[in-house]
Amino acid sequence: MKKRLILALEMLIIGIVTFTFCYTDLFYSLDSLYKDRLYQQPRAVDPSIKIISIDEKTLEVLGPFGTWPRSTYAKVLDLLGDYPAVVGFDIMLLGNMDEADDAIFEQSLSEHDNVVLASHLVYDTKAEVTSDGKTYINHMHVSRVEIPYTGGLAPVGYANTSADSDGTVRSYLPVTQVIDEAGNVTEYTSLSYQVYLQYCESMGQEPVTPATDENGAQWIYYAGKPYDYESISLIDLLEGKVDARIFTDCIVLVGAYATGLQDQFTVPNSSNQMFGVEINANIIQSFLDEQYPLPANRLGISLIFAAIAMVMFWVFSKLHLKWGTILFVLTEVITVLAGILLFTKAGISIPGFYLLLMLALDYVAALAGGYLYEWSKRRKIASVFRKYVAPQVVDDIMKSGKYRVELGGENRDIAVLFVDIRGFTPLSESLKPSEVVEILNEYLNLTTKAIFKNSGTLDKFIGDATMAVFNAPFDLEDYEYKAVCAAWDIVAGAKELEKKCMERFGKSVSFGVGVNCGEAVVGNIGCDFRMDYTAIGDTVNTAARLESNAKRGQVLISEHIYKRLKERIQVQEIGEIPLKGKSQGVCVYELLGIEREECSDDEAATDNKKEKESNI
């Protein structure tokens, strides 16, 4: 129940974070870059849109742009004639230069009804009052409109280009409303939209209404990259090198195509800057193709992303690492493909970066949570078994991560060791309680160290007896041999303990040890509120009976142990003896020495070798 509540709380946090990130557009620059690179895929440019470029070659011949006589543009119109459907000048023709020369251009305009000229909106800041009485600064207030000197001889459209906060042109205003001090509303049309309207009129088509967002902006779906549209140098046209018939029924845009004219902007579909006239060409093509995607509703998409993130966190939390990783990769790929499909086919731009980010956080958080849960679980298990199993064994298995503990019971082939103090009852009666405890602690310390040194599991202390198992709960290589080594180390260590007790208390202390191996049931055995990890079965009972028959300083082993280790130990056959609780006698051997092939340290190996030689 507690784990479910924690998971629900984690899901709620994931949902809130996802909604907040997406709704506030916290990572606007990264999300914009993501959409630029994935959604703005180039498509074929419309060949009916052509650019007459004011390029470097033209400037070299005609000189600085600001010094050109207006008759130059009149000559352009005269050369184009009535072939183009519309001619849009993406250049500012403000104020008079030479009255006679200006009149030539005005005359040409009066003779052509397919021309659109550029105007310019001048913005300033202005304090405005909202409906609830609060004052705010409107930084997009139009203070005046700069129009061409030609007056009403041709329709005009403002050529303003506005970039996002990161300097990239992603949208524009097709129509801007200006309210004067008297409250009168005047509507101004952008150059690209006005050119499109003029084109539809010339071609007898019904224009489409631009799709805009809540701020009145139309988002640009770029068809071409810089220099993709067909361009003809203006000087080539003036010098008669171009046949005007190539412009038949075309949309012709005249604009800057030289870096020095400072009409270049950063665009989302290219690392190179794009000239303003090319941006207008892309906008016009979006009308022709009816491709003008809109951002998805921010509130709606934020709620959807939050729900997806919560569900995926729950799924990741339930899956194995392998399948979770596969699902994570699939969801990331699906998110990318869905975003591209929605943009190109349905005209919806979703902030896919946020979903990708939260799916990654889902995956990492679920992975980290699972790891921490397993780590805590293993640490808890290890802390319990470290009290019974040799610490080095627990450490090695914790590092490898390969151990598995079966809760409940399982059948395992194990070796069992029992050791007991001989004559403990009369010893305890003749000494003070504190002295008895001191001797008992010395004895338990000796047996525990011997068991742990040989990678055994300390099962329990039974009064003055000790029980140990080998090959449980973890697999232990050569466990029968290690059980015999532990018994041999206990007997060897008892000599020093016996000497110490004789010097301090005038009492002799020695042990009897029994070792057996075979199948037993091991696991957590007990009741709901109290259980211990132990081993039960005939193998355990036989080991206990062997220990009870062992004399002072004697190690008795069963025939099973002898058969498995007879090449590595020295024994003396005692023969078949009856054991309490068994209907038939058991063949028993006394351990006399061992081949210490695997010893925990060199010093112990040397001591045991000397012990073996003395016994033999």
Side-chain angles (χ1 to χ4, degrees):
M1 186 66 178
K2 182 179 179 181
K3 187 178 178 182
R4 290 181 180 178
L5 288 175
I6 293 175
L7 180 59
L9 180 60
E10 290 172 337
M11 290 174 62
L12 181 61
I13 293 173
I14 287 289
I16 293 174
V17 171
T18 304
F19 179 84
T20 303
F21 281 5
C22 187
Y23 188 72
T24 61
D25 207 4
L26 187 62
F27 302 106
Y28 164 79
S29 296
L30 292 174
D31 182 55
S32 296
L33 182 62
Y34 167 83
K35 290 186 288 189
D36 291 348
R37 293 295 177 263
L38 288 178
Y39 299 168
Q40 290 285 358
Q41 297 299 320
R43 60 189 192 277
V45 297
D46 195 323
S48 66
I49 302 175
K50 301 184 187 300
I51 296 173
I52 295 179
S53 60
I54 303 174
D55 54 8
E56 300 289 349
K57 183 168 66 171
T58 302
L59 294 174
E60 288 178 3
V61 176
L62 300 182
F65 173 71
T67 63
W68 295 1
R70 300 286 167 74
S71 57
T72 303
Y73 308 118
K75 187 176 181 180
V76 169
L77 292 179
D78 293 340
L79 289 171
L80 292 174
D82 294 328
Y83 289 113
V86 60
V87 179
F89 282 87
D90 188 15
I91 52 179
M92 298 302 300
L93 302 174
L94 304 176
N96 294 93
M97 294 182 65
D98 179 271
E99 187 173 344
D101 192 74
D102 291 347
I104 296 175
F105 183 52
E106 291 178 7
Q107 178 62 33
S108 182
L109 285 175
S110 64
E111 296 172 357
H112 297 84
D113 58 358
N114 62 344
V115 181
V116 178
L117 301 179
S119 62
H120 184 253
L121 304 181
V122 179
Y123 296 93
D124 63 3
T125 59
K126 179 180 179 181
E128 295 190 1
V129 180
T130 62
S131 57
D132 57 0
K134 295 181 180 179
T135 302
Y136 76 101
I137 300 297
N138 182 358
H139 293 277
M140 295 297 290
H141 181 265
V142 178
S143 61
R144 69 180 188 279
V145 180
E146 298 177 335
I147 61 175
Y149 79 97
T150 55
L153 292 177
V156 297
Y158 57 85
N160 298 67
T161 301
S162 59
D164 290 352
S165 58
D166 61 353
T168 304
V169 178
R170 299 186 179 90
S171 63
Y172 82 106
L173 293 172
V175 176
T176 297
Q177 292 182 339
V178 178
I179 305 175
D180 60 21
E181 295 180 355
N184 299 315
V185 178
T186 304
E187 191 170 86
Y188 294 91
T189 306
S190 69
L191 176 65
S192 52
Y193 188 40
Q194 188 63 52
V195 168
Y196 167 71
L197 293 175
Q198 188 67 38
Y199 172 78
C200 290
E201 182 179 340
S202 298
M203 301 298 292
Q205 299 177 2
E206 188 69 26
V208 297
T209 302
T212 58
D213 62 16
E214 63 273 14
N215 297 316
Q218 179 180 341
W219 292 77
I220 308 170
Y221 182 7
Y222 286 84
K225 294 183 176 182
Y227 305 105
D228 277 359
Y229 285 94
E230 182 182 0
S231 65
I232 297 93
S233 176
L234 187 143
I235 192 63
D236 288 343
L237 177 66
L238 294 177
E239 292 179 350
K241 298 178 181 179
V242 177
D243 187 343
R245 287 176 295 180
I246 67 171
F247 300 107
T248 302
D249 294 334
C250 287
I251 297 172
V252 178
L253 299 175
V254 181
Y257 229 62
T259 304
L261 297 179
Q262 299 181 345
D263 192 33
Q264 288 177 283
F265 304 88
T266 301
V267 289
N269 67 337
S270 175
S271 58
N272 297 320
Q273 287 193 314
M274 180 179 287
F275 291 105
V277 68
E278 293 176 301
I279 294 176
N280 281 317
N282 274 282
I283 295 173
I284 293 169
Q285 182 166 344
S286 69
F287 286 113
L288 298 178
D289 297 342
E290 297 188 22
Q291 294 277 3
Y292 18 73
L294 290 174
N297 179 271
R298 182 62 63 172
L299 176 60
I301 200 66
S302 299
L303 290 172
I304 292 172
F305 281 5
I308 293 174
M310 292 170 68
V311 171
M312 292 310 301
F313 177 77
W314 179 82
V315 174
F316 286 140
S317 300
K318 300 296 181 182
L319 291 180
H320 184 273
L321 175 62
K322 173 186 175 182
W323 297 111
T325 302
I326 292 174
L327 180 62
F328 166 66
V329 173
L330 284 176
T331 52
E332 294 280 277
V333 172
I334 290 172
T335 298
V336 171
L337 294 179
I340 295 174
L341 189 64
L342 285 171
F343 185 87
T344 56
K345 301 300 182 181
I348 300 174
S349 175
I350 64 171
F353 169 79
Y354 291 102
L355 186 55
L356 289 181
L357 174 64
M358 295 314 301
L359 287 174
L361 291 179
D362 277 351
Y363 174 73
V364 172
L367 187 66
Y371 173 80
L372 289 175
Y373 174 75
E374 289 297 325
W375 178 83
S376 175
K377 184 178 177 182
R378 291 185 180 187
R379 292 282 295 182
K380 188 179 295 184
I381 294 174
S383 66
V384 173
F385 280 102
R386 205 180 294 274
K387 300 174 183 178
Y388 310 108
V389 184
Q392 67 270 22
V393 174
V394 179
D395 291 340
D396 288 344
I397 294 185
M398 283 287 288
K399 290 177 183 177
S400 67
K402 296 179 181 178
Y403 78 91
R404 182 183 177 188
V405 178
E406 293 286 348
L407 299 180
E410 62 172 335
N411 289 324
R412 292 181 72 97
D413 194 272
I414 63 172
V416 185
L417 178 150
F418 276 90
V419 57
D420 189 18
I421 298 178
R422 292 295 175 256
F424 181 73
T425 301
L427 178 67
S428 62
E429 291 175 350
S430 60
L431 296 174
K432 297 177 182 179
S434 60
E435 294 174 337
V436 173
V437 171
E438 185 177 343
I439 293 174
L440 190 59
N441 286 340
E442 289 280 355
Y443 149 70
L444 296 178
N445 186 56
L446 167 64
T447 58
T448 302
K449 284 185 176 180
I451 293 166
F452 282 0
K453 186 180 79 170
N454 292 282
S455 305
T457 298
L458 178 61
D459 188 288
K460 63 174 66 70
F461 298 126
I462 312 168
D464 61 324
T466 302
M467 174 184 171
V469 296
F470 295 78
N471 200 42
F474 310 121
D475 293 336
L476 180 64
E477 186 178 354
D478 205 12
Y479 56 90
E480 305 95 335
Y481 175 76
K482 291 177 180 177
V484 171
C485 287
W488 191 250
D489 289 341
I490 290 173
V491 172
K495 298 181 182 297
E496 182 65 28
L497 179 59
E498 184 176 3
K499 180 180 177 182
K500 185 186 298 185
C501 290
M502 184 60 71
E503 291 176 352
R504 293 197 58 190
F505 309 112
K507 301 293 182 179
S508 176
V509 177
S510 61
F511 310 141
V513 186
V515 184
N516 186 29
C517 67
E519 192 173 85
V521 177
V522 294
N524 286 316
I525 299 172
C527 60
D528 292 340
F529 55 87
R530 177 63 185 271
M531 58 181 63
D532 291 313
Y533 189 87
T534 189
I536 58 175
D538 183 65
T539 298
V540 179
N541 295 335
T542 299
R545 301 293 182 263
L546 290 173
E547 174 269 312
S548 64
N549 281 272
K551 299 177 182 179
R552 299 171 70 92
Q554 189 178 45
V555 178
L556 296 184
I557 64 173
S558 67
E559 188 173 14
H560 294 302
I561 289 285
Y562 172 70
K563 287 182 178 180
R564 297 186 188 187
L565 301 175
K566 59 184 178 181
E567 303 297 331
R568 303 159 70 184
I569 59 176
Q570 289 79 43
V571 300
Q572 177 179 316
E573 184 176 350
I574 294 178
E576 186 176 292
I577 63 173
L579 296 180
K580 183 180 179 181
K582 298 187 73 68
S583 58
Q584 295 182 347
V586 175
C587 187
V588 179
Y589 298 83
E590 178 184 359
L591 184 66
L592 299 179
I594 58 176
E595 296 289 344
R596 296 309 293 255
E597 300 169 356
E598 302 176 17
C599 193
S600 299
D601 53 67
D602 294 336
E603 184 179 351
T606 303
D607 291 341
N608 286 319
K609 183 177 180 182
K610 292 179 180 178
E611 186 67 28
K612 170 191 165 185
E613 292 173 350
S614 65
N615 279 282
I616 295 175

